[in-house]
Amino acid sequence: MSEIFTTDVLTALLAGGILAGVPLLFAALGEMVSERAGVLNIGLEGYMLMGAYVGFVTAYHTNTFLGFIGGAAAGAAVSVIMVVLCVRLGLDQIVVGIAITLLAEGVTSVLQGSEFGTSYPRLP
């Protein structure tokens, strides 16, 4: 049992946790700022999901820099949908946020299935 808790394993676990948590920390920071402004942004996971999918596909087919740009643009485009529906049309923020999250989950799942099928590509 003690060979599991070596220095190398604990260092790798801590580094992996920090690496995996950075995007969530940025999303939480953005959510905190938006809630302080009075906006309940439930669709944040949908923005992240669309940005991650479009960023991966763009990086897979072109290069990594364009992947970052494409991911940011896709997340921003989905957030504009939330702005139009909630601010301009006056719809409920919670309902629109949940709808955006579910829509993003469905769209990315269908697009991944149609483009890659059962294969799981990796970036070089």
Side-chain angles (χ1 to χ4, degrees), residues 40-47 49 78 81-82 85-86 91-107:
L40 184 60
N41 194 355
I42 302 292
L44 195 62
E45 292 87 5
Y47 311 156
L49 190 58
V78 176
I81 294 171
M82 174 98 173
L85 291 175
C86 291
L91 299 177
D92 188 16
Q93 297 171 359
I94 295 173
V95 174
V96 172
I98 292 172
I100 285 176
T101 300
L102 293 176
L103 181 71
E105 185 177 347
V107 166

Side-chain angles (χ1 to χ4, degrees), residues 36-89:
R36 297 280 294 178
V39 176
L40 184 60
N41 194 355
I42 302 292
L44 195 62
E45 292 87 5
Y47 311 156
M48 291 173 54
L49 190 58
M50 285 299 290
Y53 179 76
V54 171
F56 172 77
V57 170
T58 305
Y60 184 73
H61 291 297
T62 59
N63 62 27
T64 305
F65 179 72
L66 288 178
F68 283 122
I69 301 298
V78 176
S79 70
V80 166
I81 294 171
M82 174 98 173
V83 168
V84 168
L85 291 175
C86 291
V87 175
R88 295 286 184 206
L89 300 178

Side-chain angles (χ1 to χ4, degrees), residues 18-29:
I18 290 172
L19 184 65
V22 167
L24 296 175
L25 288 173
F26 282 134
L29 180 65

